[in-house]
Amino acid sequence: MTSAGIGTVFDSAATQYAEISPLLWDRIGAATVATAKVEAGDRVLDVCCGAGPSAIPAAQAAGLGGHVDAVDLAGELLAHGRRRAAAEGLQNVRFVQADATTWEGPAYDVVQCVHGVFFLPDMDASVSRLAGLLRPGGRLVVTTWAKGAMEDFGRLFAEAVEHVRQTPAAPPTSRHAVSRIDTEEDLHAWLTARGLTQVTVTRFPLHIPLDAALAWQVVLGSGFRGVLTGLEEPAVEQVRATFGRLLREREMTEQDATSLIGAGTRP
């Protein structure tokens, strides 16, 4: 999928993304910022920032003397982020619609990306470039799904799509990239290969109760939504109904959203 296509998918997901944030994205974002150890006065770049689940706590931690550049392709998500920052009274964060792969800025103290590196074209080169935006001693923090997280959910959703399409459902385009960095060992090695030192990987366990309504919100408020591209509304409704039935039949009542948070320092 192209960068423009990814932006379009997440623009359409904006409402549901915001609705599920307190259960999912906000909790992962807060854990990422805690691992990044954002301090007062820090300059932070938040890549693939969405509606700000990690940019907002980073701005709170950086304080008035710091600043957060929050960058994403999805304008609707950014609008949610701006409204949230205004409600929090934060004046040290700006949400910018831009391509992270060409972003230029000052030397940052922290560059962070929560569940976004696998959407970047050429993940390796893109993240190596982002590491280059850090000052010496600055910290790069990447959060990704742990092996097994979202997988049962994804398989059941794919089964529902295949039932309606009558053809195999194509997996999300990010799936291969995710699988390269979904263990502590693989994420540690990958960050080290980006030229970082003092690399650590922290597991953030997260399990959320699941019913058919919430499961469908997760589909519509995440990258899974892209799998529905090209389906007419009646077919989408069939997928929703089939997915709900499968969840009940398979007794899936919990969503594994465990993440790995990798951090490293630019020499």
Side-chain angles (χ1 to χ4, degrees):
M1 187 181 294
T2 65
S3 295
I6 292 169
T8 299
V9 167
F10 280 96
D11 267 336
S12 64
T15 298
Q16 291 81 13
Y17 181 104
E19 289 172 350
I20 63 174
S21 279
L23 280 175
L24 184 62
W25 305 124
D26 288 355
R27 295 162 76 177
I28 299 171
T32 299
V33 173
T35 300
K37 299 179 181 178
V38 176
E39 299 176 347
D42 277 351
R43 296 192 64 88
V44 180
L45 173 62
D46 191 305
V47 176
C48 306
C49 68
S54 50
I56 295 294
Q60 292 168 333
L64 292 177
H67 180 77
V68 178
D69 288 324
V71 178
D72 202 290
L73 292 169
E76 292 298 323
L77 286 178
L78 292 166
H80 276 285
R82 293 186 192 105
R83 289 193 290 271
R84 183 172 176 183
E88 297 278 351
L90 295 171
Q91 299 180 348
N92 64 336
V93 54
R94 62 169 180 156
F95 289 87
V96 184
Q97 187 168 16
D99 187 339
T101 64
T102 58
W103 179 263
E104 298 288 349
Y108 290 99
D109 299 291
V110 175
V111 173
Q112 60 186 25
C113 186
V114 179
H115 292 307
V117 294
F118 32 77
F119 291 116
L120 298 173
D122 193 344
M123 181 173 73
D124 295 0
S126 295
V127 174
S128 293
R129 181 184 180 279
L130 290 172
L133 298 179
L134 289 164
R135 64 165 176 78
R139 302 175 298 285
L140 177 74
V141 184
V142 170
T143 301
T144 188
W145 299 116
K147 189 176 184 64
M150 309 296 283
E151 290 184 9
D152 289 342
F153 182 97
R155 279 192 289 268
L156 217 59
F157 174 58
E159 186 176 337
V161 174
E162 290 173 9
H163 177 80
V164 174
R165 286 187 183 271
Q166 298 296 308
T167 57
T173 55
S174 60
R175 183 63 251 171
H176 172 69
V178 172
S179 68
R180 292 181 52 211
I181 53 174
D182 63 1
T183 68
E184 285 89 339
E185 295 78 13
D186 286 344
L187 182 54
H188 188 286
W190 183 76
L191 288 171
T192 301
R194 308 280 74 76
L196 301 173
T197 62
Q198 304 176 49
V199 174
T200 62
V201 178
T202 304
R203 178 173 287 261
F204 177 64
L206 179 59
H207 294 82
I208 58 176
L210 199 64
D211 59 21
L214 179 57
W216 193 242
Q217 280 188 300
V218 171
V219 166
L220 297 183
S222 69
F224 285 113
R225 189 182 189 119
V227 179
L228 300 173
T229 300
L231 287 178
E232 299 292 336
E233 187 58 36
V236 171
E237 178 58 25
Q238 290 179 48
V239 173
R240 184 198 65 77
T242 302
F243 187 38
R245 174 177 58 79
L246 291 173
L247 286 167
R248 291 188 295 272
E249 291 176 354
R250 310 291 169 80
E251 299 182 342
M252 184 181 293
T253 59
E254 186 178 75
Q255 171 68 21
D256 181 1
T258 299
S259 297
L260 299 178
I261 307 171
T265 299
R266 180 181 178 181

